[in-house]
């Protein structure tokens, strides 16, 4: 209708301003290239865009596993690089004890890494200080492997659930194949089928979510 055409014209009129805003954005997802036969030409930085998606997904995992404090530590180490434990506690505004506990939990999970820096050639522990850092590539690789394992666990669970109802499912399949339903479900069988449907929907949803994450961390 006329209203839709007017709204489309208004949107088209805003496109140059939107593109200019994207080009001036500090994340630099869109860059101006040159003038071409059809007008201005722009380039989308897909590598930077996908890295941002990975970072946000990684931060969400860190927050779920290690809390808000863990996410602050992760972000700070991403921004500042290597820091000593006291610096981590100060910058993250966390108690030293809590900082130490979270750091070592994140270390075991593969989200942060420790590096020893000796002050002398004999590498004596008393003359060595230790820093913490985030290895972006290693964290992404580890999470990508975890996602594959998680998807495998979901598929295994699907097999277990289907196996529990194998006889009942075979009865249903046979009735559907012949086109004759010559039996009535007992209350117990009906409850079993309803439970299987509910679990199957839940597992399928989990697989869909994992599929998107696997693509993000393994295929691009």
């Amino acid at each position: 209708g006329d209203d839709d055409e007017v709204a489309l014209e208004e949107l088209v009129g805003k496109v140059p301003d939107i593109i200019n805003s994207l080009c001036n954005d500090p994340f630099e997802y869109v860059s101006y290239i040159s003038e071409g036969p059809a007008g201005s030409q722009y380039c989308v930085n897909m590598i930077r865009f996908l890295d941002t998606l990975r970072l946000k997904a990684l931060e969400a995992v860190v927050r779920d596993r290690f809390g808000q404090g863990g996410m602050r530590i992760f972000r700070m180490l991403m921004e500042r690089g290597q820091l000593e434990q006291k610096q981590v506690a100060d910058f993250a505004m966390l108690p030293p004890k809590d900082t130490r506990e979270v750091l070592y939990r994140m270390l075991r999970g593969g989200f942060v890494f420790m590096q020893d820096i000796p002050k002398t050639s004999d590498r004596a522990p008393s003359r060595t200080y230790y820093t913490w850092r985030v290895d972006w590539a290693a964290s992404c690789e580890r999470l990508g492997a975890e996602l594959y394992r998680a998807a495998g666990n979901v598929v295994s669970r699907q097999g277990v659930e289907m196996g529990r109802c194998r006889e009942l499912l075979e009865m249903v399949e046979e009735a559907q194949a012949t086109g004759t339903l010559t039996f009535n479900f007992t209350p117990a069988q009906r409850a079993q089928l309803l439970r299987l449907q509910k679990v199957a929907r839940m597992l399928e949803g989990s697989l869909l979510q994992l599929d998107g994450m696997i693509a993000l961390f393994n295929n691009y």
Side-chain angles (χ1 to χ4, degrees):
D2 293 340
D3 291 342
D4 292 338
E5 292 180 2
V6 171
L8 181 59
E9 288 179 3
E10 291 179 352
L11 179 60
V12 171
K14 294 177 181 177
V15 167
D17 290 336
I18 294 173
I19 293 178
N20 286 332
S21 296
L22 289 171
C23 289
N24 293 324
D25 188 270
F27 289 105
E28 299 179 348
Y29 295 131
V30 178
S31 302
Y32 171 77
I33 302 300
S34 63
E35 292 297 319
S40 300
Q41 295 181 328
Y42 299 88
C43 175
V44 177
N45 190 334
M46 288 303 298
I47 293 177
R48 187 182 295 272
F49 181 70
L50 289 171
D51 280 345
T52 300
L53 289 179
R54 292 187 186 101
L55 176 60
K56 294 301 181 184
L58 201 56
E59 286 181 349
V61 172
V62 170
R63 183 181 60 247
D64 289 343
R65 296 187 185 181
F66 310 106
Q68 199 69 27
M71 191 178 69
R72 288 212 306 272
I73 290 173
F74 183 83
R75 282 180 174 175
M76 185 191 54
L77 290 174
M78 283 287 297
E79 294 172 0
R80 296 178 178 269
Q82 294 189 169
L83 294 173
E84 293 184 69
Q85 186 170 303
K86 184 179 184 305
Q87 293 175 307
V88 174
D90 291 342
F91 287 133
M93 294 182 290
L94 293 171
K97 181 181 178 183
D98 293 349
T99 301
R100 177 182 175 83
E101 290 177 355
V102 173
L103 280 171
Y104 276 94
R105 285 172 56 209
M106 294 175 72
L107 176 66
R108 289 191 295 271
F111 292 94
V112 299
F113 299 86
M114 181 191 288
Q115 182 170 342
D116 60 317
I117 303 177
K119 298 178 182 178
T120 56
S121 58
D122 61 0
R123 305 182 70 88
S126 60
R127 290 184 292 276
T128 300
Y129 65 96
Y130 302 88
T131 60
W132 295 89
R133 63 185 175 86
V134 168
D135 186 325
W136 164 252
S139 295
C140 287
E141 184 177 349
R142 185 182 183 99
L143 182 57
E146 284 188 16
L147 292 167
Y148 270 122
R149 287 195 296 272
N153 291 338
V154 173
V155 172
S156 297
R157 172 75 184 279
Q158 284 181 318
V160 170
E161 294 296 337
M162 296 293 285
R164 289 176 177 172
C165 301
R166 185 177 64 251
E167 292 183 4
L168 185 57
L169 291 173
E170 288 175 351
M171 289 172 55
V172 174
E173 290 173 0
E174 184 178 350
Q176 290 175 339
T178 59
T180 56
L181 189 62
T182 59
F183 60 89
N184 293 318
F185 291 123
T186 66
Q189 289 173 329
R190 191 178 300 279
Q192 192 176 16
L193 278 176
L194 289 174
R195 178 190 174 279
L196 179 60
Q197 290 174 347
K198 180 179 179 181
V199 172
R201 284 195 298 268
M202 180 188 69
L203 294 176
E204 285 294 335
S206 297
L207 274 180
L208 284 174
Q209 286 184 320
L210 287 168
D211 185 58
M213 292 279 284
I214 287 171
L216 181 62
F217 281 92
N218 292 280
N219 294 349
Y220 294 111

